[in-house]
Amino acid sequence: PPAPPPAPPPRRSRKTVSLDTLVGSILNAMGISIHQRRRAAALFQRALVEGPAVLSELAGLGGGGPLLAPGQSLLRLHERVAEVRSEPAPICAVCREPPQPGSACILCCCYGVMCVACLDRCPTCLLCRCRRCSAALVPPLDAPPPPPPLPVDVPSP
């Protein structure tokens, strides 16, 4: 029998950002160097593939002190991504249906879940009433990994 036609790409909202963008905004709140932020972002990407134990390395950032609040936010974000990708998936806060694979969004304000179709319908977050400006679109498990970040050229003296 012929192969079924490929599924159309998920509809993208103007309010969606990538998971990498959300991770970057969390890391920007940390008082760490750009090198450490890049290392933490790479750890998060590894954790999506290898599991959350990789994120324990975040405790070593910023002088080896206790895990900072943004580090805890990364742990929580990882938990939500795992929940969205699991069965049964969490339900959308608006339509009360589980989002289709590749159309689930994690709200940047409170890490609630909405489907991309409902995201444009809501001017504020229904869960925390925040005037959120974006949500991270969760790629399905079989999505290709994002490209590695480009190196930053530092001019030589």
Side-chain angles (χ1 to χ4, degrees), residues 152-157:
V152 176
D153 293 332
V154 178
S156 57

Side-chain angles (χ1 to χ4, degrees), residues 1-65:
R11 183 176 160 259
R12 204 170 151 94
S13 167
R14 289 177 302 154
K15 296 180 182 180
T16 57
V17 298
S18 69
L19 268 177
D20 289 337
T21 301
L22 178 54
V23 169
S25 67
I26 292 168
L27 292 173
N28 285 338
M30 295 178 84
I32 58 176
S33 71
I34 191 164
H35 172 72
Q36 289 175 317
R37 285 194 301 262
R38 286 184 181 148
R39 182 169 162 243
L43 283 172
F44 187 83
Q45 287 300 323
R46 274 186 46 214
L48 290 176
V49 175
E50 300 174 23
V54 173
L55 293 177
S56 65
E57 295 177 38
L58 285 174
L61 293 177

Side-chain angles (χ1 to χ4, degrees), residues 27-125:
L27 292 173
N28 285 338
M30 295 178 84
I32 58 176
S33 71
I34 191 164
H35 172 72
Q36 289 175 317
R37 285 194 301 262
R38 286 184 181 148
R39 182 169 162 243
L43 283 172
F44 187 83
Q45 287 300 323
R46 274 186 46 214
L48 290 176
V49 175
E50 300 174 23
V54 173
L55 293 177
S56 65
E57 295 177 38
L58 285 174
L61 293 177
L67 194 59
L68 302 171
Q72 292 171 345
S73 293
L74 286 181
L75 291 170
R76 179 68 182 128
L77 177 60
H78 184 273
E79 290 171 359
R80 289 302 278 172
V81 170
E83 288 173 26
V84 166
R85 290 178 168 173
S86 68
E87 289 294 328
I91 60 172
C92 171
V94 177
C95 66
R96 310 301 294 168
E97 294 289 328
Q100 296 297 316
S103 70
C105 297
I106 296 176
L107 302 171
C108 295
C109 51
C110 64
Y111 300 155
V113 176
M114 274 191 198
C115 61
V116 74
C118 292
L119 187 62
D120 286 328
R121 298 185 341 190
C122 301
T124 61
C125 176

